[in-house]
Amino acid sequence: MDPWLKLSVLVFMWFSFNSQLSLGADTISANRSLSGNQTIVSSGGNFVLGFFKPGNSSNQYIGIWYGNKVTQQTVVWVANREIPVRDTQSSELKISDGNLVLFNESKVPIWSTNISSSSSSSVVAVLEDSGNLVLRDGPNSTTPLWQSLDHPTHTWLPGGKISLNKRTNQSQLLISWKNSEDPAPGLFSLELDPEGTNQYLILWNRTIQYWTSGAWDEQARIFTLVPEMRLNYIYNFSFYSDENESYFTYSLYNPDTISRFVMDISGQIKQLSWLEGSKEWNLFWSQPRQQCQVYAYCGAFGSCTEGGLPFCNCLRGFHQKSQSAWNLSDFSDGCERTTKLQCKENRTLTNGKPDKFLTSPNVKLPQNAQPVTATSISECESTCLQNCSCTAYAYDSDGCRIWIGQLLDLQQLADDASDGKTLYLRLAASEFSSSSNNNGIIIGAAAGSVSLVLVLVIFGIWRWRRRTTINPKAVDGSLLAFGYRDLQSATKNFSEKLGGGGFGSVFKGTLPDSSVIAVKQLESINQGEKQFRTEVSTIGTIQHVNLVRLRGFCSEGIRKLLVYDYMPNGSLDAHLFHEEKSKALTWKTRYQIALGTARGLAYLHEKCRDCIIHCDIKPENILLDAELCPKVADFGLAKLIGRDFSRVLTTMRGTRGYLAPEWISGVPVTAKADVYSYGMMLFEFVSGRRNSEQSEDGKVRFFPTLAASVMTQDDDVLTLLDPQLNGDAPEEELSRICKVACWCVQDDETRRPSMGQVVQILEGVLDVNLPPIPRFLQVLGDNSEHVVFFTESSSNQSSQTPSYTSTASSQAKSNTSSMSS
Ligand SMILES: *[C@@H]1O[C@H](CO)[C@@H](O)[C@H](O)[C@H]1NC(C)=O
Ligand SMILES: *[C@@H]1O[C@H](CO)[C@@H](O)[C@H](O)[C@H]1NC(C)=O
Ligand SMILES: *[C@@H]1O[C@H](CO)[C@@H](O)[C@H](O)[C@H]1NC(C)=O
Ligand SMILES: *[C@@H]1O[C@H](CO)[C@@H](O)[C@H](O)[C@H]1NC(C)=O
Ligand SMILES: *[C@@H]1O[C@H](CO)[C@@H](O)[C@H](O)[C@H]1NC(C)=O
Ligand SMILES: *[C@@H]1O[C@H](CO)[C@@H](O)[C@H](O)[C@H]1NC(C)=O
Ligand SMILES: *[C@@H]1O[C@H](CO)[C@@H](O)[C@H](O)[C@H]1NC(C)=O
Ligand SMILES: *[C@@H]1O[C@H](CO)[C@@H](O)[C@H](O)[C@H]1NC(C)=O
Ligand SMILES: *[C@@H]1O[C@H](CO)[C@@H](O)[C@H](O)[C@H]1NC(C)=O
Ligand SMILES: *[C@@H]1O[C@H](CO)[C@@H](O)[C@H](O)[C@H]1NC(C)=O
Ligand SMILES: *[C@@H]1O[C@H](CO)[C@@H](O)[C@H](O)[C@H]1NC(C)=O
Ligand SMILES: *[C@@H]1O[C@H](CO)[C@@H](O)[C@H](O)[C@H]1NC(C)=O
C-alpha cells in the first residue's frame, strides 16, 4: 500500500475513533452534556468544542478550536476566560434553564450564556461548521437565542461581528489573552470607535488608542488607513449601521481558505491563514507594524527596542516584576526598582546620599509628561528632586518636563535616530557606585590608576583613527567589507535618504575614490554572522547588466548594511507614475525597461547556480541608471531575511498588489511568483498608473481587468495606453505586452510562462496567444480552454526555442493552440 494512503487511512481511523469517543455529534442537548475529555465536533469536522488546557497551564477552559484540517490546536473562542476549572471530570457544560451553563467541580455555575429565555427544555447548543456555537430553541429553530460569533473573545472568524450597540453603548470586541497560558482578558483590544465613527481602534487597557484603521470608505470598500486592502481578494468586508447597532463583518471569497484575525498578546492585530502544505499558520498582515508602536508593551519602567531581541528590557536600576510572566511574553507587569529611592519629604536625609539621575540618550520619551518652568537643566533637575514621586525629567529645546510615577511606553531608539531625546532617570545614589553595571570597568579604572585611563584613551584614539582611515577589505574577489564608521562618514552620518522599504532605509553616499554608492541599512536580520556572510558573498557573485551590483557590506553585531552602486535615475515608480506629461517615459523606453527587467529576472531564475526568487518585484525595486537601463534591486534578500520574509513582505505597504496568490494559499512559492509580480507591473507600463489607483469617479478601476476584457473582446488595445503617450505606440507591441502580462498573472502558476520565455516573447522570438482571463480578473465568461500561451513565431524561428507544453495541457485542445496573434 502506498505509505501516504496508509497514513491517511490511519488518520481517518483516528478521527472517526475520536469522534466516537466524543458525543459523535455537534449538539449539546438536555440529554447530552459535556465533561472530561468529551468534545462535540461540527458536522463537517471544521471545529471542535470541549475542555482545553492552554500550554503548560494546569487550568482548563471550555473552548472552540479548529478540527481535523488544522493540526496545531488553535483555540478561537473561550467561554470561561477568567474562571478556569481544574478537574474536567467533575465539571460539566450543559443546558440548564434554557441556557448553556458551565458548572465547576462543586456544581456552581461559573459561566452562562445568560439569556432570559422561556427556559424551554428543547433548547440545544449546536456547533456549526463556521465555528459558531448557536443556542436554539429546538434543533429546527432558525432564530438563534445566542451565538458565540456575537460574543467573540480574541479571534474574529468569518461571519463574526465586531459591533457597537448604540442603545447601550456596549461593544462586542476582541480582547487579547493575558499571555499564552492565560486566556483571561489582557490589555489590548480591537473595537469599533465608541464615539460612533466607522473605524476600528486598537486600545490599551480600553483607554489609550495606539492604532486606527481610518474610516471605512464604502465606495472603495477599504479602511482609509489600510490601503493594502484595495487589492485584497480574500476578505469581503462589509459595514452595517442602523439606529440600534453598527458592526463590521467579513466573509471569505474562497470558503476553503482557513483564515482568522486575532488580537494577539503582542498587542498587534494579526491576520493569519493556514498553510495546507507546510501545516503552519502564515502571518499575512499585522498592525501596528512595529512591536514598539504597541502602547506600553514593555510595562512600567520597561523599555522597548525595535529590531533587537528581546523587544523588552528593564531600565537600568530596575528588574522584571514577574519573571514567569515575562517568560510567557506578558510584559504588562513591567519592572520594579532594585534599590529604593532615598528621597524623603522635606529633604531630610536619614541615611545615604540624595538620588541621582542616569542619562539615557536616544529614547522616545514616555507620555504624560508634566511641563515645568525652568531656565536651566539644573533647575529642572532640582524640581524633580524636590518631589519624591518624580521619577525622571527631560530638558531640551522643548523645555523642562518631569514625570510623576510610572514611566510607560518608553522606547530605546537606534544610536543614529534623528528623533531621539534624552531622559534623565532618577535612581538611588548607590546604583551609580555599584560596579555591577556596564560601565563598571571604566569606573574602576578611573578610580584606580590614571595611567591605565591614559592607556585606554590612547587605545581608543588609535582604534578610532584606524576605523576612519583604513580602507575596506576586499573579500571574495570584488566584494568589499566596510566598517560601520566608513559608511557613516561616506553617507555623512546617513543624512541623505534615498528611500525606505520593508527591509530598511537606503542612503546615498560617496566613497573616498568619489564613486557614488547607495547604502541599505537592513532591518530584522536574525541570522548568524557566518550565514550572513555566506549569503552576502553569494549575492556578490551575481552580476548582470540588468541587476544592481552589490559592491560590499558591513556586518558589525546587529548592524548589517549592504552597499550598492548608486543609480542616478532612481526607481521606476517615480518615472512611471507622475502627472507631468513632458516627463512621461516613451513607449520605446517602457518596452526596453520591460525587456531588460525580464532579462535580469530570467538570469536570477535560470542562470545562477541556485535559482534565486526575488519575491518582491515592483516598480520601486527596478532602478534606472543614467541611460534609463533597468536594474533589478534587492534580489537575494529573501534568503537573507529568512523565515521572517513573508511577514516583512505582507505587512509592507504597496507590495500587496504585486503578490502572487500562492503567497497565502499554502503551496510552495516558486520563481513563478516573480512572474506574477512582473505581469502586474507590465500592466502598469501600459497604463502609466498604479493598478490599484482610483479613477475620477471614485470607483476602483482595476486596470488588469479592463485590459483583459479589451483583449478578449478584440477591442482597440490603444484605448488602454497611457493617455500621456497620445497613442504613440505600435499596436502590435502594445498587444504583445498586454497578453504577456495576462499570461503572467494566471491563477495557476503552471500556466504562467517562465521569465526566459517572457524574454523570448518580448524579443519577438515567440508569438503569444490570447490568454484566458485569470479567475480573479474574470469579468467575462470562462475562457479556460486557451491554456497554451504561445506558438513559435513564423517570422523568427529559432532553433534554441524551448518547446513548451503547459502542465495543464491535459485540458488543452489542440485547436486553441493555433491562435497566434
Ligand atoms: C431525552 O431523553 C429522553 C429519554 O431518554 C427522550 O424521551 C427525549 O426525547 C430526549 N430528548 C432529546 C431532546 O433528545
Ligand atoms: C478520556 O478519558 C477517559 C477517562 O479518563 C480515558 O479513559 C480515555 O482514555 C480518554 N480518552 C482520550 C482520547 O484521551
Ligand atoms: C512547556 O514546558 C516545557 C518545559 O518547561 C517547554 O519546553 C514547552 O515549550 C512548554 N510548552 C508550552 C506550550 O509552552
Ligand atoms: C466553584 O465556584 C465557586 C464560585 O466561584 C467557588 O466558590 C468554588 O470554590 C469553586 N469550586 C472549586 C472546586 O473550585
Ligand atoms: C450573567 O448575568 C449575571 C447577572 O446579570 C451576572 O452576574 C453574570 O456575570 C453574567 N454572566 C455572564 C457569563 O455574563
Ligand atoms: C426537524 O427537522 C427534521 C428534518 O427536517 C425532522 O425530521 C424532525 O422531525 C424535526 N424535528 C422537530 C422537533 O421538529
Ligand atoms: C453613548 O455614547 C455616546 C457618545 O459617547 C453618548 O453621546 C451617549 O449618551 C451614550 N449613550 C449611553 C446610553 O450611554
Ligand atoms: C487599567 O485601567 C484600570 C481602570 O480603568 C486601572 O485600574 C488599571 O490599573 C489599569 N491597568 C494598568 C495596567 O494600568
Ligand atoms: C460581499 O459581502 C456583501 C455583504 O455581505 C455581499 O452583498 C456581497 O455579495 C459579497 N461580495 C462577494 C463578491 O462575495
Ligand atoms: C431598533 O430597535 C427597536 C426596538 O428594539 C426596533 O423596534 C427597531 O425595529 C430596530 N431598528 C432596526 C433598524 O432594526
Ligand atoms: C524564566 O526563563 C528562564 C530562562 O528561560 C528560566 O531560567 C527561569 O527559571 C524562568 N523563570 C520563571 C519564573 O519561570
Ligand atoms: C514636612 O514638613 C512639614 C512642616 O515642617 C510637616 O508638617 C510635614 O509633616 C513634613 N512631611 C513629612 C512627610 O515629613
Side-chain angles (χ1 to χ4, degrees), residues 167 240 242-244:
R167 295 189 172 265
Y240 177 85
D242 66 22
E243 76 240 41
N244 297 331

Side-chain angles (χ1 to χ4, degrees), residues 491-505:
T491 58
K492 300 205 188 78
N493 203 13
F494 302 99
S495 51
E496 195 177 337
K497 190 164 171 174
L498 295 170
F503 306 112
S505 305

Side-chain angles (χ1 to χ4, degrees), residues 95-113:
I95 302 290
S96 167
D97 292 333
N99 275 297
L100 185 63
V101 183
L102 176 62
F103 294 89
N104 74 0
E105 299 88 331
S106 14
K107 309 296 166 214
V108 177
I110 55 168
W111 176 86
S112 163
T113 49

